[in-house]
Amino acid sequence: MGQDPKCMDLETGKIIWTAAQAGLLTSCSVSEDGKYVVSSSDLENAICLTSADTGERLFHIKDHHKSTITRCRFDPQSQHVASVSEDRTIKLWDLVSTQTTLSISSTHTNVISNCCFTANGRYLCTASWDKTLQLWDVQTGTFRSHGGLTLSKGHDGSVSSCTFSVDGSVLVSGAYDRTVAVWNMETLCKTLELKGHADWVTDVAISADKKWVASASKDTTVRLWNIEHSEEIPAVIETRKAQGMGYHILQCEECGKAFSISRLENSDLVTKCVFCRLKTETRSHLQPPPLLSSVLPIEDRNQIPSSTTSSVV
């Protein structure tokens, strides 16, 4: 990562401006409306808001977190900046009031490495070195009484990255166990595991049509996975049969949208989709990013290479 944020013209490939910012820059994000760039620095654990047009520094918020900020990201409405940190907290900074309007002490037990929003800006997912992801309803604030919703048993190593599909129905995560996980957000279950990288998976992305997943790795490769017909893979079908998997398609009694649940669940008891359940259910609650590998848990530094196959859990 460079010392200074740079803004480039994608048509010409030329640098439009360079803004000086002290310290090691750990993350950056461009607002959806194209007006602002936010970046985070390990010096003073600060975030910096810059004009995308001119490169002028608009705000510099020092001591925004108590420890290194690992990720900062605009919400899709360009109204808030979410940031996560080694201090295991989540913060939302409001562009209108220019204040921190939300601060969450998460139940993650290790560094929060990344975060991502659903397209409507309601839900924020956090990825952690504790090998889990957590889902937060940041608009209604139900986490204040129920806590975040934990997605576990997806990875055997620290989770490095996460991203939602455009419609919010799919979540993709990458981890230091060298795998990519694809999650069904209606059932909150991992539906597909992609194996093949020889080292940490550092970032993931999913196409708008949900047919392709891209992953970047410390093994110096980028992989593109076609997941369009994953349900038709014989090994996938057999695995689901062996595990007794299968899904009911139900209609949410609250919002009216269709959602699926595992046949192992009692469909008489589950009557709402996951997003409506987040508003009402009471849930039980339960270091550095790759550049600071010295404190990476020992088990993550000595992962046994995974085979180059795809499987379903």
Side-chain angles (χ1 to χ4, degrees):
M1 299 176 213
Q3 287 285 334
D4 303 325
K6 291 181 173 64
C7 184
M8 300 187 68
D9 187 318
L10 294 180
E11 293 183 350
T12 65
K14 294 182 178 179
I15 297 175
I16 301 173
W17 52 256
T18 299
Q21 188 172 344
L24 176 67
L25 304 190
T26 58
S27 179
C28 63
S29 176
V30 179
S31 61
E32 192 74 20
D33 59 15
K35 294 181 179 180
Y36 307 106
V37 176
V38 66
S39 54
S40 58
S41 169
D42 68 341
L43 186 66
E44 300 178 321
N45 303 318
I47 60 172
C48 183
L49 189 70
T50 305
S51 167
D53 289 333
T54 65
E56 177 188 0
R57 178 183 293 186
L58 303 176
F59 293 97
H60 179 80
I61 303 97
K62 67 178 183 178
D63 299 321
H64 191 51
H65 284 268
K66 294 179 180 179
S67 189
T68 300
I69 298 171
T70 53
R71 188 72 168 98
C72 60
R73 191 188 291 266
F74 280 101
D75 68 0
Q77 290 69 41
S78 304
Q79 296 176 348
H80 301 92
V81 173
S83 58
V84 294
S85 167
E86 290 182 9
D87 64 14
R88 308 176 193 176
T89 65
I90 306 158
K91 294 195 175 185
L92 255 62
W93 189 81
D94 187 270
L95 272 70
V96 176
S97 66
T98 65
Q99 293 181 345
T100 298
T101 54
L102 183 63
S103 183
I104 305 172
S105 296
S106 76
T107 52
H108 282 299
T109 59
N110 208 329
V111 172
I112 302 179
S113 56
N114 214 320
C115 64
C116 62
F117 280 101
T118 51
N120 61 6
R122 177 171 179 177
Y123 298 99
L124 180 74
C125 181
T126 53
S128 172
W129 285 20
D130 65 9
K131 307 178 185 180
T132 72
L133 299 107
Q134 290 188 4
L135 193 63
W136 307 86
D137 186 339
V138 295
Q139 288 187 0
T140 66
T142 53
F143 60 85
R144 291 186 175 91
S145 57
H146 306 317
L149 184 61
T150 300
L151 307 182
S152 57
K153 300 180 180 179
H155 293 284
D156 293 326
S158 300
V159 186
S160 62
S161 50
C162 57
T163 188
F164 281 107
S165 61
V166 172
D167 63 3
S169 66
V170 175
L171 175 71
V172 180
S173 58
Y176 295 169
D177 61 6
R178 306 168 184 174
T179 70
V180 176
V182 180
W183 302 79
N184 181 323
M185 293 311 296
E186 295 292 354
T187 61
L188 300 180
C189 292
K190 182 174 74 171
T191 58
L192 189 64
E193 185 176 81
L194 306 173
K195 298 180 180 180
H197 279 296
D199 212 326
W200 299 345
V201 175
T202 54
D203 204 5
V204 291
I206 184 170
S207 62
D209 58 11
K210 299 184 290 186
K211 295 180 180 180
W212 302 92
V213 168
S215 57
S217 171
K218 190 171 176 285
D219 66 10
T220 71
T221 69
V222 175
R223 290 178 181 248
L224 189 63
W225 313 81
N226 188 327
I227 63 171
E228 180 181 6
H229 302 296
S230 61
E231 299 289 331
E232 301 173 12
I233 300 174
V236 171
I237 296 172
E238 290 304 314
T239 299
R240 289 197 169 185
K241 286 181 179 179
Q243 294 180 337
M245 293 297 286
Y247 295 93
H248 292 293
I249 304 298
L250 305 176
Q251 185 176 23
C252 177
E253 66 177 21
E254 184 167 329
C255 68
K257 295 182 179 179
F259 70 99
S260 58
I261 66 167
S262 167
R263 294 187 185 276
L264 298 179
E265 295 185 74
N266 188 334
S267 58
D268 293 331
L269 298 178
V270 182
T271 59
K272 298 180 182 180
C273 69
V274 61
F275 297 113
C276 289
R277 296 203 302 270
L278 272 172
K279 295 185 294 184
T280 56
E281 285 189 351
T282 300
R283 299 274 180 173
S284 59
H285 304 302
L286 281 174
Q287 330 220 12
L291 57 94
L292 299 172
S293 59
S294 60
V295 290
L296 181 66
I298 293 176
E299 64 270 25
D300 288 349
R301 280 182 270 147
N302 297 282
Q303 292 285 345
I304 299 175
S306 302
S307 59
T308 56
T309 59
S310 298
S311 61
V312 167
V313 176

